[in-house]
Amino acid sequence: MAKLVVVGAGAMGLAAAYHAGKAGHDVVVVEASDTPGGMAAHFDFGGVSLERFYHFVCKTDYPTFELMAELGMSDRLQWVDTTMGLFNEGKLHRWGDPIALLRFPELSLLDKFRYGIFAAICVRRNQWAAIESKSAKTWLLRWCGQKVYDRLWRSLLDYKFYEYADGISAAWIWTRIRRIGRSRSSIMQERLGYIDGGSMALVDSLVQAIERQGNRVQLNSPTVKITTENGRVTGVDTPASHLDADFVISTVPTPYVSAMIPDLPAEWKARYESIANIGVICVIYKLRQSVSPHFWVNISEKDVEIPGVIEFSNLRDFGKDHILYVPYYMPISHEKFTWPDQSLVDESFRCLQMVNSKLTRDDVIDIKVARLRHGQPICEPGFAAKIPPIQTPIRGLQVADTCYYYPEDRGIAESVRLGRALAESIGVVHE
């Protein structure tokens, strides 16, 4: 069996290491952080173990279910009836079901009919090739019309992608609608899940399983260089040592790839460097009172540069505490990405008070601001052709990150699916 080094201990890297270990390979996972998990990693929020970036489970997340069953933790998957809200024109509306659509006052009956047909087709659609070359804006306008786009979609795209908003792939938007639309117990009831103990429970189980295989996860070990010789991968350099390898799987964001693998051909480096990312900041609140009864509230206000509010405690019970995420997505070149934490807190709290005017500063128990420079690939029309092959021209070296989920959005289910595929390719890739 082969020696394998996996770069990155996020869900994808850990899943790849676990499945490679099952096949009998000698595996080392190297991770720059002092904590495994990547975007699924937790922090201590005043005695509560919580994800830095919110995660939830949908009923179609089959790779997650299969992995949890293998790890003997299926009983930790919990399901909850949830609702969605829409804050528009200064009012909070229930959203996400046919009755809510019919009662929404800001659209005509024809607009509602068009949007309802559009949503139903998205949920039932299984093929995406026909819309992969279309922009989401063009596609949404064609199906739903200008007023629906302005009321329901413009601010969500503008305040997530900013200057890229008009050039986001329709296929990428479609998969997001479909995933949530298929996570229902009925046409009227959304149903989402969470892992008891949070995403870190799955991460910890994977790390323990890898270690039981006789393999290891090496933290505080950033990859300085992936080494090669005669067109074949030979190992990984960290600040502390060189790790010999017959195979290497890199799962870190593509913006790091070119510097990390200097022996890649120039045209391959250019392909990785052409994939743009936006950053993400989550302002996380622990409050004494709820902001709304909904798990997710889309914000559709012209002067509010926040796409939504996730009241996580409406999915996972935290006792008397109410935990909310206010996410900011933006290119890291945007001035707001470098704002001090307090400026983000001030702006996001004003947004929460718009949704619930009874909320005061006295309701705040604790606040945390989490930042990530590479939180989301920018998937333009035709993005599928832009993604380099997983198998690089260097024999034994595979590279993948969250953009390889396309058109699916980033998430644990896609991470464990692709991680398993990467592991199964060991020894199968062309020599």
Side-chain angles (χ1 to χ4, degrees):
M1 291 296 175
K3 288 184 177 180
L4 168 67
V5 176
V6 177
V7 180
M12 189 201 309
L14 293 174
Y18 166 70
H19 288 292
K22 279 175 56 182
H25 297 299
D26 180 4
V27 186
V28 179
V29 183
V30 291
E31 166 59 43
S33 174
D34 60 0
T35 305
M39 289 190 75
H42 281 209
F43 71 100
D44 180 7
F45 199 30
V48 175
S49 181
L50 190 70
E51 292 97 334
R52 292 180 302 148
F53 305 99
Y54 57 92
H55 286 78
F56 56 91
V57 180
C58 289
K59 293 175 76 68
T60 55
D61 290 353
Y62 304 114
T64 302
F65 309 152
E66 293 168 5
L67 180 60
M68 290 181 70
E70 282 193 40
L71 296 172
M73 54 183 303
S74 294
D75 60 338
R76 302 191 69 166
L77 188 59
Q78 308 294 325
W79 295 98
V80 177
D81 288 342
T82 55
T83 59
M84 180 181 289
L86 173 65
F87 190 78
N88 179 258
E89 295 293 326
K91 295 181 180 179
L92 178 62
H93 306 271
R94 182 183 170 103
W95 194 244
D97 63 65
I99 299 300
L101 177 60
L102 286 172
R103 289 178 175 173
F104 185 60
E106 304 298 333
L107 296 175
S108 69
L109 188 60
L110 177 59
D111 289 332
K112 293 173 184 178
F113 176 77
R114 289 178 69 178
Y115 188 76
I117 293 296
F118 165 75
I121 289 174
C122 285
V123 171
R124 287 164 177 76
R125 185 175 196 149
N126 291 315
Q127 302 297 321
W128 53 277
I131 58 173
E132 207 275 326
S133 62
K134 294 180 172 61
S135 75
K137 181 177 181 179
T138 300
W139 179 62
L140 289 164
L141 284 171
R142 180 169 64 85
W143 272 95
C144 304
Q146 188 70 52
K147 190 170 184 181
V148 170
Y149 179 80
D150 290 340
R151 288 286 182 189
L152 305 180
W153 286 99
R154 182 183 292 279
S155 62
L156 296 179
L157 290 169
D158 284 351
Y159 298 136
K160 182 163 185 173
F161 294 105
Y162 287 85
E163 64 264 34
Y164 300 99
D166 289 351
I168 298 303
S169 162
W172 185 83
I173 291 290
W174 159 69
T175 58
R176 292 172 62 83
I177 299 170
R178 184 186 63 163
R179 182 180 180 230
I180 296 296
R182 290 186 175 183
S183 195
R184 310 184 74 85
S185 56
S186 72
I187 192 172
M188 294 298 298
Q189 183 58 64
E190 177 184 272
R191 192 165 176 80
L192 300 177
Y194 68 93
I195 299 171
D196 189 16
S199 302
M200 204 65 191
L202 178 57
V203 170
D204 287 341
S205 291
L206 275 170
V207 171
Q208 292 162 14
I210 290 165
E211 291 173 344
R212 284 195 301 269
Q213 293 166 346
N215 296 315
R216 70 183 190 275
V217 178
Q218 192 169 296
L219 303 175
N220 296 303
S221 296
T223 294
V224 175
K225 180 181 179 182
I226 294 176
T227 60
T228 71
E229 185 176 337
N230 298 324
R232 164 121 206 144
V233 74
T234 57
V236 171
D237 286 339
T238 72
S241 65
H242 173 79
L243 299 169
D244 291 328
D246 302 307
F247 296 91
V248 173
I249 295 173
S250 170
T251 65
V252 301
T254 51
Y256 297 127
V257 169
S258 291
M260 190 174 66
I261 315 172
D263 295 337
L264 277 171
E267 61 269 23
W268 278 71
K269 290 182 181 180
R271 292 184 73 176
Y272 292 121
E273 291 164 4
S274 71
I275 298 171
N277 278 251
I278 56 173
V280 58
I281 303 172
C282 275
V283 183
I284 311 166
Y285 287 89
K286 185 188 290 185
L287 303 175
R288 291 186 173 87
Q289 69 162 297
S290 175
V291 172
S292 87
H294 308 298
F295 171 65
W296 194 300
V297 175
N298 284 337
I299 307 296
S300 183
E301 293 285 310
K302 291 179 182 178
D303 299 324
V304 182
E305 295 187 9
I306 294 171
V309 173
I310 296 89
E311 190 155 351
F312 203 63
S313 47
N314 287 334
L315 174 67
R316 179 181 163 194
D317 185 10
F318 295 95
K320 294 181 180 180
D321 296 333
H322 302 272
I323 291 180
L324 296 93
Y325 292 79
V326 181
Y328 288 82
Y329 294 90
M330 68 195 77
I332 60 173
S333 58
H334 193 284
E335 63 170 351
K336 194 175 288 189
F337 197 80
T338 59
W339 271 15
D341 288 356
Q342 190 58 51
S343 297
L344 294 164
V345 169
D346 290 343
E347 182 181 68
S348 60
F349 195 73
R350 286 195 296 271
C351 176
L352 295 182
Q353 288 181 309
M354 288 176 63
V355 178
N356 183 348
S357 61
K358 295 180 180 179
L359 192 67
T360 71
R361 292 279 180 175
D362 290 338
D363 291 310
V364 178
I365 301 169
D366 205 351
I367 303 173
K368 167 75 173 179
V369 178
R371 300 173 189 254
L372 191 67
R373 291 179 63 85
H374 303 111
Q376 169 73 64
I378 298 169
C379 303
E380 66 263 37
F383 188 74
K386 188 174 185 175
I387 305 170
I390 288 174
Q391 174 57 45
T392 71
I394 297 171
R395 296 191 304 277
L397 174 60
Q398 298 182 85
V399 170
D401 76 343
T402 57
C403 73
Y404 284 77
Y405 307 160
Y406 180 82
E408 300 292 342
D409 194 14
R410 70 206 187 288
I412 288 178
E414 290 303 305
S415 293
V416 300
R417 177 192 62 78
L418 186 52
R420 180 170 192 157
L422 292 168
E424 291 174 348
S425 296
I426 297 297
V428 178
V429 293
H430 296 298
E431 293 295 326

